[in-house]
Amino acid sequence: MPVPFADLQLQYQIIKGEIDGAIAAVIRDNAFIRGPYVDAFEREFASAVDIKHCISCANGTDALYLAMAALKVKPGDEVITTAHSWISTSAMITHAGATVVFCDTDGATFTIDPAAIEAAITPRTVGIIPVHLYGQPADMGAIMAIARKHKLWVIEDCAQAHLARYKGQQVGTFGVAATYSFYPGKNLGAMGDAGAVVTNDSALAEHMTMLARHGGLVKHQHRIEGINSRLDGMQAAILSAKLPHLPKWTKARRDAAMVYDAGLNQIEDVVVPSVAPDRTHVYHLYTIKHPRRDALAAQLNANGVQTAIDYPTALPFLAAYNRFGYRPEQFPNAFGDQSRILSLPMFAEITRQQQDAVIDLVRRF
Ligand SMILES: *Cc1c(COP(=O)(O)O)cnc(C)c1O
């Protein structure tokens, strides 16, 4: 049985009427840039993630840039983030003008190790960007305590963690701002690029809005030099059509993860995702560890099961960071994981038969 890694076409077919209607409405109303569909999605998304302000933008990468630019990071400032993420997280620290400082993960949850943060703080540290990787919240209790103690800001990278919770509280509501991606494959995905930055701080919200809109809130009144980072009306309408389905889709992902857990956790050499007791994982990715990862992936792929490696190289070891000359022993968990991690097919519509086929292949391997 072929099992795709994700099935965006199937999701579209299930809600085709709603999506087609949303696209037709934007065309009918000529509401391509800004306008009522963008405003509506910003309101709806803010409410869905329990926060006051949502500023939509072009993608989740820009969202990180906007948050840091609004916090006025400057050359010499150090921003701490995790060694295990997508490159947007660290690259935007550099593009915003600061210096990226990597920390290792905790060895269990794939998220940043609070003890490593504490050890990385210097007089130049200004902020921390934890990433709720694969959909599991980072240890926000410990991270916020460190931030308060050292007077640092926290921006949460929620690109993989829509509706995830830490001790019952939604991710994205702990730090001063949080960023989201609506890349098509994310838990809430547009049909193109899309992103948002959210905050409860009204002054910061206004500043981020200006930065994203050529530096002004009113046309031709550019108070600062901004960038052009817009969510277009079509993507906003598509996201508004999908948003009401997100809680149900999230539950389906969590249920599918339980099926994988039960089927895989007795198999020798397979390490299923470890979820800390205080965290609600939303399984953007279901990522196992296996000592012979490449051979396992080859066997699954040869039998029609798509897999992915997120990510094959931990951030400090990418060519982009050769200038720092990092060594594996500085990031033992992130480095060790890069050769063991394997993401299995995971999407809201995955069937029991598809999951059984995956589990069976892993068992036979
Ligand atoms: C997807 C992602 C981003 C970037 O989002 P884009 O919309 O692709 O720019 C940033 N951080 C993490 C952790 C991501 O997974």
Side-chain angles (χ1 to χ4, degrees):
M1 171 184 303
V3 187
F5 188 66
D7 197 339
L8 299 180
Q9 187 56 228
L10 175 60
Q11 186 194 64
Y12 168 62
Q13 291 304 331
I14 293 169
I15 56 165
K16 186 174 188 309
E18 293 156 68
I19 300 288
D20 292 358
I23 293 170
V26 173
I27 297 171
R28 181 197 63 213
D29 296 347
N30 249 316
F32 301 113
I33 299 293
R34 295 225 52 82
Y37 296 96
V38 175
D39 293 343
F41 175 68
E42 289 180 341
R43 276 196 309 273
E44 292 158 10
F45 191 69
S47 152
V49 298
D50 294 339
I51 208 144
K52 268 200 209 132
H53 307 280
C54 166
I55 298 101
S56 60
C57 60
N59 54 63
T61 306
D62 279 6
L64 285 157
Y65 172 80
L66 292 167
M68 276 182 278
L71 288 166
K72 299 192 167 76
V73 303
K74 56 184 190 310
D77 288 351
E78 292 175 358
V79 177
I80 291 173
T81 194
T82 172
H84 191 155
S85 183
W86 176 243
I87 189 161
S88 303
T89 318
S90 52
M92 290 305 109
I93 294 173
T94 309
H95 286 306
T99 299
V100 54
V101 175
F102 291 113
C103 282
D104 202 9
T105 47
D106 66 13
T109 67
F110 300 113
T111 62
I112 194 167
D113 180 1
I117 297 177
E118 191 83 70
I121 290 172
T122 75
R124 294 176 298 281
T125 308
V126 295
I128 310 167
I129 308 186
V131 179
H132 306 308
L133 200 79
Y134 302 159
Q136 173 161 208
D139 187 352
M140 292 314 296
I143 292 168
M144 293 313 296
I146 295 169
R148 274 191 298 274
K149 182 170 146 201
H150 297 274
K151 298 193 168 45
L152 309 174
W153 50 251
V154 172
I155 297 170
E156 295 170 71
D157 184 340
C158 301
Q160 304 187 1
H162 316 68
L163 304 189
R165 287 173 183 268
Y166 175 90
K167 292 192 174 158
Q169 181 180 338
Q170 289 227 40
V171 296
T173 59
F174 291 87
V176 65
T179 62
Y180 284 89
S181 168
F182 308 114
Y183 176 86
K186 296 286 161 77
N187 288 21
L188 176 63
M191 290 178 149
D193 275 312
V197 56
V198 302
T199 183
N200 279 320
D201 180 325
S202 302
L204 190 66
E206 185 175 289
H207 201 84
M208 293 190 296
T209 305
M210 275 200 299
L211 277 169
R213 320 250 184 281
H214 295 295
L217 300 172
V218 180
K219 199 168 185 177
H220 301 308
Q221 294 179 21
H222 308 284
R223 285 155 54 188
I224 55 174
E225 290 173 305
I227 62 170
N228 176 18
S229 185
R230 293 189 283 239
L231 174 67
D232 68 68
M234 201 93 81
Q235 300 306 338
I238 290 165
L239 288 166
S240 285
K242 287 189 174 190
L243 185 57
H245 297 280
L246 186 59
K248 172 181 76 196
W249 289 338
T250 303
K251 180 171 187 306
R253 284 176 183 272
R254 289 173 48 76
D255 290 347
M258 282 173 60
V259 169
Y260 272 145
D261 282 349
L264 297 172
N265 71 7
Q266 300 302 327
I267 303 174
E268 201 187 327
D269 284 343
V270 174
V271 180
V272 300
S274 155
V275 186
D278 45 8
R279 314 196 204 166
T280 309
H281 196 322
V282 295
Y283 295 97
H284 169 57
L285 295 169
Y286 186 91
T287 303
I288 61 168
K289 293 202 247 188
H290 196 283
R292 284 175 298 134
R293 188 269 315 276
D294 291 337
L296 173 60
Q299 173 131 333
L300 289 169
N301 300 162
N303 285 278
V305 172
Q306 290 178 351
T307 58
I309 299 169
D310 310 279
Y311 301 92
T313 308
L315 294 174
F317 309 112
L318 289 169
Y321 297 110
N322 279 350
R323 65 182 183 277
F324 292 119
Y326 291 123
R327 286 165 288 108
E329 54 275 24
Q330 293 175 271
F331 307 95
N333 294 325
F335 182 78
D337 287 346
Q338 71 180 28
S339 60
R340 295 193 191 104
I341 46 176
L342 185 67
S343 302
L344 301 179
M346 170 54 81
F347 47 100
E349 301 79 11
I350 195 168
T351 65
R352 185 63 197 247
Q353 287 80 353
Q354 287 175 316
Q355 289 198 271
D356 285 343
V358 176
I359 292 165
D360 192 51
L361 283 166
V362 175
R363 187 177 296 122
R364 279 195 275 147
F365 178 81

